[in-house]
Every structure is written in C-alpha cells, then in structure tokens.
Amino acid sequence: MEAEAVVKDWWLYHGTGEGTERRARLETGSPPPWRDFTGSPDPGYEPPGCEGPAWERTRRRGEGYVPDEQEKDVVNTALHLRRPLLITGKPGVGKSTLAYSIASDLGLGPVLHWPITSRTVLRDGLYLYDAIGRLQEAGLEQLRRPAVPVGPAATAAPPGTLPTPRPGPAAGPEPDPDPAHAPSISRYLRLGPLGTALLPQDRPRVLLVDEIDKSDIDLPGDLLTVFEDGGFTIPELARLAQEDPTVAIGTDDDPHARVRLTQGRVQCHYFPVVVLTSNGERDFPPAFLRRCVRLHLEPPGPEKLALIVRRRLGVDVEAGGEYQELVRDFIDRAGDGDLATDQLLNAIQLRLAGAWSAPGDRDRFLRTVMQHLTGPTA
C-alpha cells in the first residue's frame, strides 16, 4: 500500500536507512541560521536513552502508528526547519500518538508529556519551584539551631570585662552568618517537561504539548519567546548567581537526576521536536501559527484502518470476514458522529477474546464499544 511503500530521500522520519543513521542525519544536519542554537551539554548529565520502562511505553505506542505520505512530508518539514509541529483533527485520530511515532522511529528516547488545561501557565512547563517547602525547611533549621542564651547566665561577664547587653523584648535569635545552614534552593527546583526538552543535549528530545487549545488565551503567545530563543532563565537561580553561579537541579524525567545550570539559564543545543495537538476548540493568533508547521489529520479510511489493526493487534483484516465487517460498521457509525480509532481496536480485541459472541448481542455490542463521541447519540 502507498502508506508503506513511498520513501523519499530527504525524509528523516520513515526515511531510508536504519533509525540510528537517520537520527545522525538529523543531528548533523545544518539548521536554518535563525534556528541554530549554542547551548553546551552538561557532561555530567545523561538523559534517558532507548531503554527502560519509559522508553518501552514510548516504543510500544509509537510503533503501531501508520502515517501516510502527507503526514511524513509535513513531519519531516518540521524536523528540517526545527519548528514546532501543530497537529489538528478530531479526537481519536492519532494526534498524540504521532509524537510517540517520531520518537520511536528515530530513537529519540522517551516522550516528554505536557498536558494542558485551562489553568496551565508557561512556568508549569518550564520549571517547578516548591517555595513553601523551602520556607518550611528553613523554619525547621531555625528550630534545630542552639538557642541564644538569655538571662543572668548570658549577661554574666568575667571580672575586668563589660557585660554583654541583654536582648530587649523584641529581639529574636541572632542570624546565622554561615549560609551552609540555609537549605539549598536546588532541592526545591525541578525542570518541567518543556524545560527538560530545552536542555542542551547530544540529541533532540520529543515534547508532546497535548490539547493546547484548552489553554488560557495567553499561553500560545507566551510560548513564542521560548520557541524563538530556544531557552529561558529561572529567576530564582539568576538572583543567586553571584553567590552560587552553578546549581544542579532535577528534571521532568527524574527529580533525582541533577543537571547543572549556570546563571540560571537553560539554552538548547538542538531545538526539541515539539508536537502540539489541538481538537480545534479555539483559534490561535497569526504570530503563533506563523512559527509552527501545521498538519491536519483526517479520520483514517478502510485501508489505513486495516494497517492499524495489523500493526496493533496482529490481525489481518482482509483474511477474516468478521473483522472486515467490524471495520465497515466502524466507518458507517462514524458517519453519524465522531469515533476514535481505538474504539475499533477495542471491538476487535473483544472478539479475539470471545466476548460478545452471541448473534443477538451484535447491536448492543456495537453501541457499547463504538459509542459516539459527538453528535445526537453521544
């Protein structure tokens, strides 16, 4: 089928050669001059690679995705231009899964996931600062220190010396001149998914910004500066730069993994592969759209559905009349309201397990597992 046969020389995603070779072409390729960033990787920080549970989740989800030629063209355009990819389409067409497919195909490590709600602000994606926890720890440290002696024992002085004045009623404990007693700010800072993706690394990371159309009206505009600069500054660290210019903090992948930041600055080396998804619940400002490469996903047709079923479940739809009929039922029901592709997968998985096998159960079976997401019967 065309979705599997077409391969173009300039493609990185689903192009010619092994994934490691295509990733090397991505890493060594010349970006546009305005997308060339200068961050230097921390040699002591090792980002997650293609192993472990997080990678297995990314790989399993991504390998089942079936992109067509248009999708490959647009994804590779975004990769070459080092621009965010804005994917629109109805719920359930595979917008989020495409991010996992890119990471899996090019071996870019686990996907960083940033789900968006109406309360999300830019800082949520850049970094997290537990200011309350730091204040509580500072209070505990104050209680642990020896109390300043008061009363006659404190004011008694050896013969020939002047007595130490007794502190007044409003006087508190004397400040500790040793800054080592103060809790380090690094323990209360952690990079968010966007901040982790922007770390200077030897290979770009994939960041999924999920359902950005649900955000506050200001978030797309706030993202523009970060996307253009390829970095940001953490103010809490910048204020301490004179006393402690280099601080190690945790990442979104692992709060215990320490990456060193200088002057509180995060600056990427490779611009990350940023995938933004939208269900079309709102429009975006032209300045934001201009900086994105856009892709609209249509619901899959019969041939693509058959490929998805084979990739996901190992079932050859063409060889089984019952499964062909389920695909036709899915397409027919989608004409009356939106359905998600995984609803078809659920239906086939149930029939593989022998569930809902009684002839009289078919209508109830379809209504149960292929319930409309939109429309009058949703």
Side-chain angles (χ1 to χ4, degrees), residues 60-82:
R60 284 197 303 269
R61 185 170 179 182
E63 285 184 346
Y65 189 81
V66 181
D68 58 27
E69 182 181 354
Q70 179 198 5
E71 293 169 37
K72 296 174 188 176
D73 277 337
V74 177
V75 169
N76 282 289
T77 297
L79 292 176
H80 280 286
L81 294 179
R82 312 286 174 92

Short mmCIF file of all heavy atoms in Angstrom, two decimals, residues 60-82:
data_model
loop_
_atom_site.label_atom_id
_atom_site.label_comp_id
_atom_site.label_asym_id
_atom_site.label_seq_id
_atom_site.Cartn_x
_atom_site.Cartn_y
_atom_site.Cartn_z
N ARG A 60 6.25 1.11 22.29
CA ARG A 60 5.04 0.33 22.01
C ARG A 60 3.93 1.20 21.42
O ARG A 60 3.23 0.78 20.49
CB ARG A 60 4.55 -0.35 23.28
CG ARG A 60 5.35 -1.56 23.70
CD ARG A 60 4.57 -2.41 24.69
NE ARG A 60 4.19 -1.66 25.86
CZ ARG A 60 4.90 -1.57 26.97
NH1 ARG A 60 6.06 -2.20 27.04
NH2 ARG A 60 4.48 -0.88 28.01
N ARG A 61 3.78 2.39 21.96
CA ARG A 61 2.72 3.26 21.45
C ARG A 61 3.06 3.79 20.06
O ARG A 61 2.19 3.90 19.20
CB ARG A 61 2.49 4.42 22.42
CG ARG A 61 1.33 5.31 22.02
CD ARG A 61 0.98 6.30 23.11
NE ARG A 61 -0.12 7.16 22.69
CZ ARG A 61 -0.62 8.15 23.43
NH1 ARG A 61 -0.13 8.38 24.63
NH2 ARG A 61 -1.61 8.90 22.97
N GLY A 62 4.32 4.10 19.84
CA GLY A 62 4.71 4.71 18.56
C GLY A 62 4.77 3.74 17.40
O GLY A 62 4.47 4.11 16.26
N GLU A 63 5.14 2.50 17.66
CA GLU A 63 5.33 1.55 16.56
C GLU A 63 4.02 1.17 15.89
O GLU A 63 4.02 0.72 14.74
CB GLU A 63 6.03 0.28 17.08
CG GLU A 63 7.51 0.48 17.32
CD GLU A 63 8.21 -0.81 17.73
OE1 GLU A 63 7.49 -1.78 18.08
OE2 GLU A 63 9.45 -0.84 17.72
N GLY A 64 2.90 1.33 16.55
CA GLY A 64 1.62 0.99 15.94
C GLY A 64 1.03 2.07 15.07
O GLY A 64 -0.02 1.85 14.45
N TYR A 65 1.68 3.23 15.01
CA TYR A 65 1.13 4.34 14.23
C TYR A 65 1.41 4.14 12.74
O TYR A 65 2.51 3.73 12.36
CB TYR A 65 1.70 5.68 14.70
CG TYR A 65 1.02 6.87 14.08
CD1 TYR A 65 -0.19 7.33 14.59
CD2 TYR A 65 1.57 7.52 12.98
CE1 TYR A 65 -0.83 8.42 14.02
CE2 TYR A 65 0.94 8.61 12.41
CZ TYR A 65 -0.26 9.06 12.93
OH TYR A 65 -0.89 10.12 12.36
N VAL A 66 0.43 4.46 11.90
CA VAL A 66 0.58 4.28 10.45
C VAL A 66 0.45 5.65 9.77
O VAL A 66 -0.67 6.11 9.49
CB VAL A 66 -0.49 3.31 9.90
CG1 VAL A 66 -0.29 3.11 8.39
CG2 VAL A 66 -0.43 1.97 10.62
N PRO A 67 1.56 6.34 9.50
CA PRO A 67 1.48 7.64 8.83
C PRO A 67 1.34 7.48 7.32
O PRO A 67 1.90 6.55 6.73
CB PRO A 67 2.81 8.30 9.19
CG PRO A 67 3.76 7.16 9.33
CD PRO A 67 2.95 6.00 9.87
N ASP A 68 0.62 8.38 6.69
CA ASP A 68 0.56 8.36 5.24
C ASP A 68 1.61 9.32 4.67
O ASP A 68 2.36 9.95 5.43
CB ASP A 68 -0.84 8.68 4.73
CG ASP A 68 -1.36 10.04 5.20
OD1 ASP A 68 -0.52 10.93 5.46
OD2 ASP A 68 -2.59 10.21 5.32
N GLU A 69 1.65 9.41 3.36
CA GLU A 69 2.70 10.21 2.71
C GLU A 69 2.64 11.68 3.12
O GLU A 69 3.67 12.31 3.39
CB GLU A 69 2.60 10.07 1.20
CG GLU A 69 3.70 10.83 0.45
CD GLU A 69 3.57 10.71 -1.06
OE1 GLU A 69 2.71 9.94 -1.52
OE2 GLU A 69 4.32 11.40 -1.77
N GLN A 70 1.43 12.24 3.17
CA GLN A 70 1.31 13.65 3.54
C GLN A 70 1.82 13.89 4.96
O GLN A 70 2.53 14.87 5.21
CB GLN A 70 -0.15 14.10 3.44
CG GLN A 70 -0.35 15.56 3.85
CD GLN A 70 -1.79 15.89 4.17
OE1 GLN A 70 -2.65 15.02 4.16
NE2 GLN A 70 -2.07 17.15 4.46
N GLU A 71 1.49 13.01 5.88
CA GLU A 71 1.95 13.17 7.25
C GLU A 71 3.48 13.12 7.32
O GLU A 71 4.11 13.91 8.03
CB GLU A 71 1.34 12.09 8.13
CG GLU A 71 -0.17 12.22 8.30
CD GLU A 71 -0.78 10.99 8.94
OE1 GLU A 71 -0.13 10.40 9.83
OE2 GLU A 71 -1.89 10.59 8.54
N LYS A 72 4.08 12.19 6.60
CA LYS A 72 5.54 12.09 6.60
C LYS A 72 6.17 13.35 6.02
O LYS A 72 7.19 13.85 6.53
CB LYS A 72 5.98 10.87 5.80
CG LYS A 72 5.54 9.54 6.41
CD LYS A 72 5.88 8.38 5.48
CE LYS A 72 5.29 7.06 5.97
NZ LYS A 72 5.54 5.96 5.03
N ASP A 73 5.58 13.88 4.95
CA ASP A 73 6.10 15.12 4.35
C ASP A 73 6.11 16.26 5.37
O ASP A 73 7.09 16.98 5.52
CB ASP A 73 5.26 15.52 3.14
CG ASP A 73 5.65 14.79 1.87
OD1 ASP A 73 6.80 14.30 1.78
OD2 ASP A 73 4.80 14.69 0.96
N VAL A 74 4.98 16.42 6.07
CA VAL A 74 4.85 17.56 7.00
C VAL A 74 5.75 17.36 8.22
O VAL A 74 6.42 18.31 8.67
CB VAL A 74 3.38 17.74 7.42
CG1 VAL A 74 3.26 18.86 8.45
CG2 VAL A 74 2.51 18.03 6.21
N VAL A 75 5.80 16.15 8.76
CA VAL A 75 6.67 15.89 9.92
C VAL A 75 8.13 16.16 9.56
O VAL A 75 8.86 16.82 10.31
CB VAL A 75 6.49 14.45 10.42
CG1 VAL A 75 7.58 14.10 11.45
CG2 VAL A 75 5.12 14.26 11.04
N ASN A 76 8.56 15.69 8.42
CA ASN A 76 9.95 15.90 8.03
C ASN A 76 10.25 17.37 7.73
O ASN A 76 11.37 17.84 7.96
CB ASN A 76 10.29 15.03 6.82
CG ASN A 76 10.54 13.59 7.20
OD1 ASN A 76 11.54 13.25 7.82
ND2 ASN A 76 9.60 12.72 6.87
N THR A 77 9.26 18.10 7.24
CA THR A 77 9.43 19.55 7.07
C THR A 77 9.72 20.22 8.40
O THR A 77 10.62 21.05 8.53
CB THR A 77 8.18 20.15 6.42
OG1 THR A 77 8.01 19.59 5.11
CG2 THR A 77 8.29 21.66 6.30
N ALA A 78 8.94 19.85 9.44
CA ALA A 78 9.17 20.42 10.77
C ALA A 78 10.53 20.03 11.32
O ALA A 78 11.22 20.85 11.97
CB ALA A 78 8.06 19.96 11.73
N LEU A 79 10.98 18.79 11.07
CA LEU A 79 12.29 18.35 11.56
C LEU A 79 13.41 19.15 10.91
O LEU A 79 14.35 19.58 11.58
CB LEU A 79 12.47 16.86 11.28
CG LEU A 79 11.58 15.89 12.06
CD1 LEU A 79 11.81 14.47 11.59
CD2 LEU A 79 11.85 16.00 13.56
N HIS A 80 13.34 19.36 9.60
CA HIS A 80 14.40 20.09 8.90
C HIS A 80 14.42 21.56 9.29
O HIS A 80 15.50 22.17 9.40
CB HIS A 80 14.21 19.96 7.39
CG HIS A 80 14.72 18.66 6.83
ND1 HIS A 80 16.06 18.37 6.69
CD2 HIS A 80 14.05 17.56 6.38
CE1 HIS A 80 16.21 17.16 6.16
NE2 HIS A 80 15.01 16.64 5.98
N LEU A 81 13.25 22.15 9.51
CA LEU A 81 13.18 23.58 9.85
C LEU A 81 13.34 23.84 11.33
O LEU A 81 13.42 25.00 11.75
CB LEU A 81 11.85 24.16 9.37
CG LEU A 81 11.64 24.21 7.86
CD1 LEU A 81 10.26 24.79 7.54
CD2 LEU A 81 12.73 25.04 7.18
N ARG A 82 13.38 22.77 12.15
CA ARG A 82 13.47 22.91 13.61
C ARG A 82 12.34 23.78 14.15
O ARG A 82 12.55 24.69 14.96
CB ARG A 82 14.83 23.49 14.02
CG ARG A 82 16.04 22.83 13.36
CD ARG A 82 16.35 21.47 13.94
NE ARG A 82 17.40 20.78 13.21
CZ ARG A 82 18.70 20.83 13.53
NH1 ARG A 82 19.09 21.55 14.56
NH2 ARG A 82 19.59 20.15 12.85
#
